[in-house]
Amino acid sequence: MMRRLGRSAAVFAVAIVLLLGISAVAFASGQPDKDSKAKVSLTVVMTNNVESFLPGEDENNNEIIRRLREGSGYDLKWIILPADQPWNKLTLMISSGETPDVVYCPPKNVFADYLHKGALAPIDEYVKNAPNLQKLVPEATWAAVTWKGKRYAVPIPQNQNIAGNASFFVRKDWFAELGIKDLVTVDDYYQAMKTILDKKKVIPLTQTPDNGVVGGFSGAFGIGTTYKEKDGGIVASYIQPEAKEYLQYMNKLYAEGLLDKEYPINKGANVQEKLVAGKAAMNVTAWSSALSINNNFKAKNPTGELAYIAPPKGPRGETGFSRYGPVRSYLFVPAQSKHIKEAVGFLDYMSRPEVYTYVSFGEEGKQFNRKGDDIFLTDAYQKFRFQMYYVLVDTQMGFAVRLRDKGFKVFSDQVVPYATLEPIAEYAPPMPEVLGVSADLDNVTLEYFVRFITGDLGLDKFNEYVTAWKAKGGDKAVAALDSWYKSDFKKK
Amino acid sequence: MAGERELRELRRPGWTFRFLAGNYDLYLMILPALVLLFLFNYLPMYGAVIAFKDYNFMGGIQGSPWVGFTHFQRLFQEREFYRILRNTLLISFYRIVFQFPLPILLAILLNEVGNMFFKRVVQTVTYMPHFLSWVIVGSLVIDLLSPNSGIINDACRSLGLPEITLMSKASFRGIVVVSQAWKETGWSAIIYLAAILSINPELYEVAIVDGAGRLRQTWHITLPGILTTIVFILLLRIGALMSTDVEQILMLYNPLVYETGDVIGTYVYRTGLGKMEFSYTTAIGLFQSVVGFVLLVGANRVSRKYTNTGMW
Amino acid sequence: MIRTKGQKVFSAVNGLLMLLVAAVALFPFLHEVSKSISDEAAVMAGDVGLIPIGFNLRTYRVVLGTYDFWRSLAVSAVITVAGTVLQIVVLSLAAYPLSRRVFPGKRIFLFLFVFTMLFNGGLIPTYLVVKSLGLLDKLWALILPGLVNVFNLILLRNYFLTVPDSLEDSARIDGCSNLTVFARIVFPLSLPAVATIAVYCAVSYWNGYFGALIYISSKTLQPLSIYLRTMVIEADSQLVNLNPELANLNPESLRSATVVAATLPILLVYPFLQRYFVKGALVGAVKE
């Protein structure tokens, strides 16, 4: 019996090794195009959009990238970062010597981090010879990527402001039932919520803690953006006296049961659950979430109605939500790349209208049709979905068409009028004093604000928060922004 | 007695050489594991030096400047350091006291079950929660403990007991330990079940003949029989005192319970998101490892003295 | 065997207790299964408990319907089987010398192994080593680095220690080499421990995620865990460029389906290995 065991184990082991060997060959990554000739090889790193390819194709083997290789004259290699912790992977690549040539990086603080670690190449001299890039990026936008007089990335201009941000998504049918009319001030909101609680016995307002600040109400009290203009300079909103007013208001809501008791522990899914199940009446919802909430809501409550209403005005008549900053994404070239000139040349190629139109929409007549100024997608476009991996230059038109095509426009249109607050700090160059501490400051704000709102910590201890905030470098951040604002920004 | 022949040999000179000559296959057997250990565990260890440098991946490990204990100082001077240290130690300690005995108990009880089929089914079922990530189990816990709609608090209210929620500083550590017990006890019991099987059944037969009841059998046979395993796992837990299961706490915590629930791992995660502070995080990891190591060595010594078994 | 009343009571209570423990343990998984086949709106409303509401296989169609799913399943299967077999072989070979009474250097070796349980070099150095061995973007990168699992090694060693020396000695007197003694006597008598680490390995390799995240770039080599998690992230995030199949799909329903799909295969491992968890090989072998 033991001998049999030994032998079968051996057979098994051999079989496994064979299987492994075979699968290593079978599962080997798709062969890149053999069309290299003597072209320069460029590696482009893109974030994951989680689209799937047609069977047999992958990111380096499909019709779009073949066209791009032909058209640009470069041997392109596309690398897609994992959806989870993508920047870890990029850092690993760079530190192990596999330097890419172009990186598509949406978050400003990641871009700034790489910049200040000396990982990026200045590209001014190459941009001079890039007419399409110059046409694409307005002069003012370059400020966001300029450091010590040099430009360190191509800033793709923001295109999402046509969608707005968020607003109060409410049970319009209940409002009608209870005779709640147009809500204008924060007091109106307060009264309405009280009525809802009394008469309907549901949670009037449910929210996730996010970074401790509830949009809409924050805008009403004048702290709708993290940094704002005040008295000719820049200040940090959350340590101003207005912030205390906001906290007092929110604390009142929580204490009277008007704000969900579970506010500190709510996650996105909980909030959606409560709306769909009819357990809550209001929520500050982003336009991107409204579609799926509404669909699920309608499935369960065919007669109910969820719609957006205008945010309230605060004691000084302020109102609104923040807009998006001027830059949608940063395209940078690592300093150790061997083809900086070609990389910028490639980006210039991608900025040609016919190229980005093709990448965004496909071929006219096949995947899209024009009607006047507008573009309509055909059914064939559905097979073209993976084009998102190649959209380095996303224009407003591209965004608008997708917005409409996927059904989000219905909701984004409703919230666009309310996104009126400019996030000033987003226009500033990538200053380490500001970007290096933004996460820390957010954490401190979250921690304290949630405790103030729930009453766990009394508002008389507000100074404790200010001290903690300063200890994390808040003062230095504000000083840097303030001096930039006074010297550079106001000139424009 | 066993091995005596070899023990006698030990006294002869030149013994080691003769042993090696005759038993070189032993060293060959351990070779593959040693090679892999060297390649994937020891070779990368040189990277731990970045805890003492200001690591910039652009300059590589060689090119980054030395900063001595700066990162450690920074850790010890953080406003939150005392809090996260205390919470880490306390939660680990509670885990040892409360969670550690449970799988042993489960294994022993399960072993007593007569019906093979029932036993197997229960065995398979109890380890199931282990497979679910904390994202899933965490949201279950959140649901159960919801102040508005959770069944646990419904029960508390009807029994007149105070509510237990995830927003309460006082209950948080208890919730963490209990929920992990729920998730991991079945899985951790597997190893004890296997250990129980190594006990010579004749010992039980002799004990039964002598009139020993189940309890005495357990105390005098089962427990000593699995002592090596128990000690092994216990020592590991002690070595891990400074580390905690971060994923779980990340799912369950919120600012209201930072005071009792924020641990070293969650603090590092929260403050390090998006930042590339490899030196700092390595320094913290090193700190945790060193403390754990010291504790492990001490515990191992104690265990060898009193129970004759240990990790080495 | 005649059972006393006390024994009967004990059995009954114990049985009930085990049933309770099993029910408590089963509950989260059943909840997930139930959510995955329930009507999505009901799931989003949080109404679904252990009993599904409605019947909706859309999530499974989405999860199981792509070629990518089955390929990543195959990748995971290959890694799991290969990794488990290799680890068992390498570790038991190493554990045997460590369990011998006389083995010069034993304590040093043990220390070397245990030391790595607490200390490791960190992400970047390990990545560099893997890269320099040419393992990047190969399945071996997901198998080899974690192969020497010291916990499993010590487990095996402890079990080998329980094999009576007399058995080994009699084999040696017959002229067997160490390797033969190990393969013919010690290993077969330690099947419960081997089965245990087989389960541990299998689960660990099957669920492996982080390694694949940083070492694998080719989509064709992604294991199941990555594939499913990516799908859930997509459904969760508010990207405007949603996959049309995932549009309007409740992320929670999707997550439940992925959990069930990812867990079911591995749950079958333990029952399959359970027959090795038996006593008995020792009985009658030792006649002092």
Side-chain angles (χ1 to χ4, degrees):
Chain A
M1 185 235 145
M2 299 191 200
R3 190 169 287 173
R4 248 188 293 138
L5 188 74
R7 202 181 297 158
S8 51
V11 169
F12 198 33
V14 170
I16 291 307
V17 175
L18 274 176
L19 189 64
L20 199 62
I22 293 172
S23 46
V25 173
F27 290 132
S29 40
Q31 299 303 308
D33 246 70
K34 295 286 184 201
D35 199 344
S36 353
K37 292 181 201 150
K39 285 193 223 164
V40 169
S41 218
L42 290 180
T43 306
V44 179
V45 169
M46 181 72 176
T47 48
N48 197 328
N49 291 306
V50 213
E51 301 284 5
S52 39
F53 289 93
L54 301 171
E57 299 194 334
D58 65 33
E59 64 267 22
N60 282 306
N61 184 15
N62 57 70
E63 75 172 89
I64 299 181
I65 198 169
R66 280 194 282 267
R67 276 258 212 140
L68 290 177
R69 285 186 185 128
E70 260 177 58
S72 66
Y74 299 111
D75 178 22
L76 301 169
K77 181 162 183 251
W78 228 253
I79 293 186
I80 299 179
L81 294 173
D84 213 354
Q85 303 173 50
W87 309 112
N88 252 351
K89 176 85 198 233
L90 180 63
T91 307
L92 284 173
M93 283 174 64
I94 296 183
S95 39
S96 67
E98 298 160 40
T99 314
D101 301 294
V102 176
V103 176
Y104 175 89
C105 174
K108 188 173 185 178
N109 60 333
V110 173
F111 157 66
D113 216 350
Y114 281 113
L115 167 61
H116 295 298
K117 289 217 156 56
L120 308 185
I123 54 173
D124 310 66
E125 46 181 301
Y126 309 110
V127 172
K128 280 202 203 94
N129 301 327
N132 298 294
L133 272 181
Q134 290 173 20
K135 246 185 266 160
L136 188 75
V137 182
E139 190 59 35
T141 317
W142 288 101
V145 298
T146 307
W147 187 250
K148 300 215 162 84
K150 295 218 178 85
R151 296 174 176 176
Y152 284 92
V154 173
I156 302 300
Q158 183 60 263
N159 61 348
Q160 294 201 353
N161 276 319
I162 53 171
N165 183 339
S167 191
F168 289 87
F169 207 39
V170 309
R171 290 295 299 266
K172 267 301 185 65
D173 50 324
W174 288 348
F175 274 37
E177 195 188 306
L178 299 170
I180 300 177
K181 295 254 189 269
D182 303 322
L183 306 177
V184 179
T185 64
V186 287
D187 285 321
D188 291 343
Y189 264 73
Y190 171 74
Q191 290 303 333
M193 288 193 263
K194 265 198 106 62
T195 314
I196 295 176
L197 180 65
D198 282 336
K199 299 275 163 53
K200 274 283 182 191
K201 307 270 186 268
V202 293
I203 303 170
L205 176 70
T206 180
Q207 280 301 131
T208 49
D210 292 328
N211 63 338
V213 181
V214 178
F217 287 126
S218 59
F221 285 94
I223 57 169
T225 52
T226 315
Y227 297 99
K228 62 171 188 174
E229 295 166 281
K230 192 176 181 188
D231 305 329
I234 297 281
V235 297
S237 313
Y238 304 140
I239 57 171
Q240 304 302 310
E242 304 88 278
K244 267 181 109 168
E245 289 177 33
Y246 158 81
L247 290 169
Q248 258 155 5
Y249 180 79
M250 296 302 297
N251 176 243
K252 186 157 174 241
L253 292 184
Y254 190 82
E256 295 184 28
L258 303 176
L259 172 61
D260 191 356
K261 217 166 160 195
E262 296 181 309
Y263 162 69
I265 56 178
N266 272 334
K267 303 249 175 10
N270 304 122
V271 160
Q272 295 191 358
E273 215 178 271
K274 289 173 191 170
L275 278 178
V276 169
K279 297 208 186 106
M282 297 164 53
N283 171 244
V284 176
T285 310
W287 57 264
S288 45
S289 316
L291 181 62
S292 91
I293 295 182
N294 196 46
N295 286 341
N296 283 295
F297 173 76
K298 280 295 193 188
K300 201 165 188 283
N301 310 276
T303 52
E305 193 202 338
L306 279 174
Y308 278 112
I309 60 172
K313 289 203 177 120
R316 288 162 290 276
E318 295 159 303
T319 183
F321 288 87
S322 170
R323 287 164 60 80
Y324 296 99
V327 181
R328 155 130 193 187
S329 180
Y330 301 84
L331 289 169
F332 61 73
V333 180
Q336 289 169 336
S337 156
K338 299 192 177 55
H339 306 291
I340 304 179
K341 174 164 172 236
E342 290 83 356
V344 180
F346 170 66
L347 290 178
D348 188 58
Y349 169 76
M350 293 298 280
S351 320
R352 289 194 205 165
E354 68 272 18
V355 178
Y356 66 66
T357 303
Y358 167 67
V359 177
S360 301
F361 306 116
E363 281 182 70
E364 186 159 4
K366 262 215 213 149
Q367 283 99 2
F368 75 97
N369 291 304
R370 280 189 206 271
K371 285 203 186 97
D373 268 340
D374 212 343
I375 288 186
F376 290 89
L377 304 171
T378 67
D379 285 335
Y381 180 78
Q382 299 307 323
K383 292 228 174 70
F384 201 62
R385 310 205 54 77
F386 54 89
Q387 39 81 256
M388 278 314 295
Y389 288 119
Y390 304 96
V391 179
L392 296 183
V393 173
D394 199 12
T395 57
Q396 210 153 60
M397 174 66 103
F399 188 71
V401 168
R402 294 199 304 277
L403 211 57
R404 184 189 57 216
D405 187 56
K406 323 243 179 154
F408 289 98
K409 194 165 191 306
V410 165
F411 297 100
S412 59
D413 277 350
Q414 290 180 50
V415 296
V416 165
Y418 311 130
T420 49
L421 307 173
E422 276 294 352
I424 296 289
E426 296 299 317
Y427 288 81
M431 298 183 274
E433 304 91 329
V434 178
L435 292 165
V437 300
S438 59
D440 289 332
L441 296 179
D442 282 346
N443 275 322
V444 174
T445 306
L446 168 66
E447 198 180 323
Y448 277 92
F449 275 30
V450 169
R451 294 175 70 195
F452 288 138
I453 293 179
T454 57
D456 187 57
L457 194 62
L459 269 171
D460 51 323
K461 298 274 191 331
F462 189 74
N463 281 322
E464 220 182 274
Y465 161 64
V466 178
T467 317
W469 182 89
K470 287 188 180 164
K472 294 287 179 189
D475 270 346
K476 290 211 191 81
V478 171
L481 280 170
D482 189 55
S483 88
W484 157 76
Y485 181 74
K486 291 187 172 126
S487 58
D488 292 332
F489 188 70
K490 274 192 159 164
K491 279 193 212 139
K492 308 213 153 76
Chain B
M1 226 216 96
E4 258 204 17
R5 202 215 233 166
E6 280 158 351
L7 287 171
R8 264 184 280 127
E9 299 257 325
L10 271 169
R11 293 183 199 110
R12 300 233 200 105
W15 164 85
T16 314
F17 186 70
R18 254 177 297 143
F19 181 85
L20 286 173
N23 290 276
Y24 69 90
D25 54 350
L26 282 181
Y27 292 89
L28 281 181
M29 285 166 78
I30 202 175
L31 192 63
L34 283 177
V35 168
L36 287 171
L37 192 76
F38 172 72
L39 280 177
F40 294 107
N41 293 84
Y42 280 99
L43 208 49
M45 262 193 217
Y46 83 94
V49 304
I50 67 174
F52 302 97
K53 289 189 165 203
D54 186 13
Y55 178 65
N56 180 336
F57 60 84
M58 290 302 291
I61 297 183
Q62 252 72 347
S64 303
W66 291 97
V67 293
F69 285 92
T70 312
H71 298 298
F72 297 95
Q73 274 173 341
R74 177 179 160 195
L75 174 65
F76 300 146
Q77 282 166 0
E78 293 278 12
R79 186 175 68 100
E80 296 91 345
F81 179 66
Y82 173 66
R83 176 175 86 186
I84 59 181
L85 182 70
R86 180 194 65 211
N87 292 338
T88 308
L89 289 174
L90 274 178
I91 291 183
S92 296
F93 181 69
Y94 290 167
R95 281 207 219 275
I96 293 181
V97 167
F98 178 72
Q99 257 178 269
F100 179 74
L102 290 178
I104 304 174
L105 192 61
L106 180 63
I108 293 176
L109 286 178
L110 205 51
N111 191 49
E112 296 290 334
V113 170
N115 185 333
M116 245 341 218
F117 178 71
F118 182 54
K119 184 175 178 181
R120 283 204 183 163
V121 167
V122 174
Q123 252 181 288
T124 311
V125 165
T126 48
Y127 74 70
M128 274 187 177
H130 170 82
F131 291 95
L132 304 173
S133 72
W134 272 110
V135 175
I136 312 260
V137 181
S139 48
L140 256 176
V141 173
I142 293 174
D143 280 344
L144 286 172
L145 292 174
S146 158
N148 298 333
S149 53
I151 52 179
I152 295 199
N153 286 313
D154 284 344
C156 282
R157 272 188 288 263
S158 51
L159 289 173
L161 295 169
E163 281 184 349
I164 307 174
T165 71
L166 280 167
M167 300 190 285
S168 141
K169 283 189 263 259
S171 335
F172 190 72
R173 291 188 194 128
I175 295 174
V176 163
V177 173
V178 170
S179 57
Q180 186 166 72
W182 175 27
K183 186 172 181 291
E184 297 295 332
T185 299
W187 178 255
S188 309
I190 295 182
I191 187 177
Y192 296 113
L193 279 166
I196 291 180
L197 289 169
S198 73
I199 303 174
N200 190 339
E202 285 184 358
L203 291 171
Y204 287 108
E205 285 162 28
V206 168
I208 291 175
V209 164
D210 282 350
R214 275 209 162 89
L215 207 54
R216 296 198 67 186
Q217 284 173 45
T218 310
W219 188 255
H220 290 278
I221 304 173
T222 315
L223 283 179
I226 59 175
L227 188 66
T228 345
T229 311
I230 294 181
V231 165
F232 173 51
I233 308 267
L234 184 61
L235 285 177
L236 274 180
R237 286 254 190 277
I238 291 178
L241 209 70
M242 265 307 212
S243 330
T244 37
D245 191 359
V246 178
E247 206 199 332
Q248 174 194 21
I249 300 184
L250 273 177
M251 268 309 289
L252 296 176
Y253 83 161
N254 59 81
L256 292 180
V257 299
Y258 282 176
E259 193 56 36
T260 53
D262 197 18
V263 294
I264 297 180
T266 51
Y267 175 75
V268 168
Y269 178 84
R270 193 168 75 242
T271 55
L273 259 182
K275 290 197 258 181
M276 291 181 286
E277 296 179 312
F278 293 108
S279 277
Y280 189 47
T281 41
T282 307
I284 297 181
L286 196 60
F287 167 68
Q288 289 175 294
S289 298
V290 168
V291 172
F293 182 69
V294 168
L295 287 171
L296 181 61
V297 170
N300 192 53
R301 221 174 266 175
V302 169
S303 138
R304 282 195 84 89
K305 186 160 174 219
Y306 290 104
T307 68
N308 258 326
T309 56
M311 281 253 231
W312 67 87
Chain C
M1 195 174 74
I2 305 169
R3 292 164 40 140
T4 67
K5 181 152 172 250
Q7 281 180 326
K8 285 209 193 115
V9 168
F10 172 79
S11 283
V13 171
N14 192 28
L16 232 70
L17 188 63
M18 292 295 103
L19 207 56
L20 186 66
V21 169
V24 167
L26 195 56
F27 158 64
F29 194 71
L30 281 183
H31 182 60
E32 289 303 312
V33 172
S34 155
K35 274 199 286 189
S36 63
I37 55 177
S38 291
D39 175 60
E40 284 164 53
V43 175
M44 204 187 227
D47 287 340
V48 179
L50 281 177
I51 321 283
I53 297 182
F55 191 66
N56 169 25
L57 289 178
R58 186 168 156 224
T59 50
Y60 283 110
R61 252 180 279 144
V62 170
V63 173
L64 302 177
T66 57
Y67 169 71
D68 289 343
F69 171 81
W70 295 101
R71 184 184 50 206
S72 58
L73 187 91
V75 170
S76 286
V78 167
I79 297 172
T80 303
V81 173
T84 303
V85 169
L86 275 171
Q87 193 168 133
I88 291 178
V89 169
V90 170
L91 290 188
S92 38
L93 280 176
Y96 178 67
L98 292 172
S99 69
R100 298 255 296 134
R101 242 198 198 183
V102 181
F103 179 55
K106 176 172 70 171
R107 289 196 74 177
I108 302 175
F109 286 134
L110 270 172
F111 183 80
L112 281 179
F113 279 111
V114 173
F115 188 77
T116 64
M117 279 178 103
L118 285 171
F119 292 92
N120 66 48
L123 185 59
I124 295 189
T126 314
Y127 184 84
L128 290 174
V129 169
V130 169
K131 181 178 154 122
S132 57
L133 288 172
L135 294 180
L136 275 190
D137 217 16
K138 300 226 172 44
L139 289 182
W140 286 110
L142 302 181
I143 299 177
L144 292 179
L147 200 76
V148 180
N149 182 320
V150 179
F151 181 82
N152 292 347
L153 176 70
I154 307 274
L155 222 153
L156 281 172
R157 176 201 176 233
N158 286 352
Y159 213 88
F160 290 171
L161 281 171
T162 66
V163 174
D165 291 336
S166 43
L167 278 178
E168 292 184 48
D169 281 354
S170 40
R172 221 161 299 232
I173 290 173
D174 287 345
C176 291
S177 72
N178 285 306
L179 191 55
T180 325
V181 173
F182 161 72
R184 293 269 183 88
I185 299 177
V186 178
F187 186 84
L189 285 178
S190 308
L191 289 181
V194 174
T196 305
I197 72 162
V199 175
Y200 285 173
C201 282
V203 171
S204 169
Y205 281 117
W206 181 262
N207 286 340
Y209 178 75
F210 192 69
L213 202 64
I214 56 172
Y215 297 128
I216 304 287
S217 328
S218 314
K219 274 183 159 241
T220 48
L221 288 178
Q222 281 179 351
L224 190 63
S225 50
I226 299 270
Y227 175 73
L228 291 178
R229 174 123 178 86
T230 309
M231 189 185 269
V232 172
I233 291 182
E234 172 186 357
D236 255 347
S237 63
Q238 321 294 358
L239 298 172
V240 194
N241 30 290
L242 283 176
N243 194 323
E245 284 125 40
L246 292 184
N248 308 331
L249 184 62
N250 180 4
E252 217 188 313
S253 295
L254 182 66
R255 182 184 294 132
S256 301
T258 59
V259 167
V260 175
T263 314
L264 226 39
I266 200 68
L267 279 178
L268 301 174
V269 170
Y270 190 57
F272 172 68
L273 289 169
Q274 262 181 340
R275 62 180 127 134
Y276 295 109
F277 281 80
V278 282
K279 260 197 255 256
L282 277 175
V283 176
V286 185
K287 291 287 180 245
E288 296 285 348

